[in-house]
Amino acid sequence: MRIGVLSGGGDAPGLNAVIRAVTKTAIVKYGWQVTGIIDGFEGLLAPTKTRQLTLWNTRGILSDGGTILGTTNRGNPFAHKTVVGGREIVEDMSPEVLENITELGLDVLVVIGGDGSLKIGEGLLKLGVPVIGVPKTIDNDLMATYVTFGYQTAVDTATEALDKLHTTAESHQRVIMLEVMGRYAGWIALEAGISGSADVILIPEIPFSMDKVVEKLLERKKAGSKSSIVVVAEGAKPAGGEMAVREKAADGYVLRLGGMAEIVANEVSRRTSFETRVTVLGHVQRGGSPCPFDRLLATRYGSYAVDLIAQKKFGEMVSFQPPVITSVPLESAISNLKLVDPGGELVKMAEGMGVCFGR
Ligand code: F6P
């Protein structure tokens, strides 16, 4: 058996831990071989880019951030984009990918990815490629798994940033906004916001009213608070308004969100006498060493993916359903985004303790 493994989409802390676990389990437990595919699905296009993974070259990578295989979030073989003579051409390169999978002698493909990469994996599955999915994204927006690896590290990083912002905000009597990632899901903002004691948390799932935000800040000042902290998810939007988009593709697909914290800060400054500052945490949330929770989860995911191969359970995605690791059909895993429930326990609890969600 020869396993091909690739990481697709944005990187997340714990990718190397999955790659290591796949390699170790395949070699030690089953005596199989593992081929690492470089730069996600791009590595399966001609000329293919791969490297043999061994116990030796995956040694010592458990705690490393990033991915030794490289990744890209712009390499969909079903809609592959190239620029010819200044014009963008979109082609279906999946036949070439299929040919190369056969040529490389891969019996199965382990796709470590978020919703985009897992959708590509599902597309290849439909064309007859045995695929196993591993859920990765700091956004934690995948259905059918309790949590994706990389998420907890991102929450830890955002929480640490909030702890630091509190002290400087208090010294200068400022309102500081922290913009965090998460795309269309507010998980990082919500959980880091609660853990980092934010006063206002704005998430995509709860369109906010600027009046309510300002009211909360003024109320805090009146009660004696010298400073306030506002966490803004990059996908947050005002009621009746739009998300802040930084970059769009020619077809309208949103490539990058960002800028809402600045908008909120400007509006707070305009309406009040507060001095405001904005910190955009950005890719710090994706980089660096995975926290122990993510190292363990990623290791369990990678190892279980190989066990699924041994059971010939192709077309499945590994899934954490505490306390066990199990699997679900890839199709169900990517059917919908997992979003924060505006009426759920966490939001209600935070509101019950005075946190403002702008509603
Ligand atoms: O999906 C992970 C993520 O970090 C999102 O939270 C964010 O919107 C996006 O990727 C950023 O992508 P890029 O690395 O292309 O800027």
Side-chain angles (χ1 to χ4, degrees):
M1 175 76 77
R2 180 179 286 278
I3 301 173
V5 59
L6 64 81
S7 39
D11 67 348
L15 272 170
N16 282 326
V18 178
I19 294 164
R20 171 180 172 272
V22 167
T23 307
K24 272 182 172 280
T25 308
I27 295 173
V28 175
K29 191 168 174 186
Y30 296 104
W32 295 340
Q33 295 195 312
V34 185
T35 299
I37 293 144
I38 309 298
D39 295 341
F41 293 99
E42 290 281 341
L44 289 172
L45 295 172
T48 54
K49 294 178 281 178
T50 62
R51 68 187 275 210
Q52 177 80 7
L53 294 179
T54 64
L55 295 179
W56 184 250
N57 64 20
T58 54
R59 233 181 115 204
I61 64 169
L62 172 63
S63 56
D64 290 350
T67 161
I68 58 164
L69 296 177
T71 189
T72 169
N73 52 8
R74 299 189 182 183
N76 180 356
F78 289 97
H80 191 259
K81 292 176 185 159
T82 39
V83 178
V84 180
R87 265 189 55 230
E88 189 177 80
I89 308 222
V90 182
E91 274 175 290
D92 179 6
M93 303 293 279
S94 58
E96 184 177 311
V97 167
L98 295 189
E99 248 173 57
N100 289 333
I101 287 175
T102 310
E103 203 154 290
L104 291 165
L106 305 180
D107 299 300
V108 56
L109 198 58
V110 174
V111 175
I112 315 169
D115 61 335
S117 308
L118 293 175
K119 264 180 206 146
I120 298 169
E122 209 219 353
L124 293 175
L125 178 79
K126 284 188 177 143
L127 296 176
V129 180
V131 171
I132 299 288
V134 178
K136 165 239 67 168
T137 166
I138 64 159
D139 304 338
N140 195 30
D141 59 356
L142 284 184
M143 286 301 260
T145 189
Y146 175 69
V147 68
T148 50
F149 76 83
Y151 169 67
Q152 192 56 55
T153 305
V155 170
D156 290 359
T157 301
T159 305
E160 192 191 341
L162 286 170
D163 289 348
K164 291 182 174 170
L165 291 176
H166 272 290
T167 61
T168 174
E170 188 72 1
S171 308
H172 287 267
Q173 310 199 8
R174 286 171 170 160
V175 176
I176 298 194
M177 325 278 155
L178 177 69
E179 184 170 296
V180 298
M181 284 184 166
R183 254 187 117 73
Y184 304 124
W187 293 110
I188 298 177
L190 177 64
E191 295 202 349
I194 294 173
S195 309
S197 184
D199 308 299
V200 178
I201 301 175
L202 305 179
I203 59 175
E205 295 86 344
I206 306 177
F208 64 88
S209 141
M210 206 56 228
D211 292 348
K212 294 280 177 198
V213 173
V214 169
E215 198 180 289
K216 172 72 187 175
L217 297 174
L218 291 173
E219 194 185 282
R220 280 179 52 75
K221 189 178 180 198
K222 206 168 157 205
S225 295
K226 287 193 193 157
S227 64
S228 291
I229 297 290
V230 180
V231 176
V232 184
E234 61 179 358
K237 58 175 182 222
E242 300 292 328
M243 289 182 185
V245 175
R246 276 208 197 286
E247 193 187 350
K248 265 188 188 172
D251 59 7
Y253 177 77
V254 174
L255 292 170
R256 284 198 303 141
L257 290 166
M260 188 51 77
E262 189 77 42
I263 294 171
V264 173
N266 288 341
E267 200 52 26
V268 169
S269 301
R270 198 179 66 79
R271 296 188 188 199
T272 67
S273 59
F274 291 125
E275 192 179 14
T276 62
R277 289 292 186 271
V278 175
T279 296
V280 178
L281 205 49
H283 292 79
V284 170
Q285 293 158 99
R286 292 232 304 255
S289 187
C291 65
F293 178 89
D294 278 334
R295 292 182 199 188
L296 180 62
L297 183 65
T299 300
R300 292 176 80 187
Y301 277 164
S303 187
Y304 198 76
V306 180
D307 287 339
L308 286 176
I309 296 170
Q311 295 162 43
K312 301 209 174 334
K313 281 195 169 176
F314 305 123
E316 295 277 299
M317 181 190 84
V318 300
S319 161
F320 183 34
Q321 292 175 25
V324 295
I325 302 288
T326 177
S327 71
V328 292
L330 252 182
E331 199 186 331
S332 72
I334 56 180
S335 50
N336 282 308
L337 286 184
K338 181 174 74 181
L339 299 175
V340 172
D341 176 1
E345 182 253 331
L346 276 184
V347 173
K348 289 265 183 216
M349 177 202 71
E351 275 182 330
M353 294 172 65
V355 175
C356 168
F357 286 85
R359 65 177 176 183

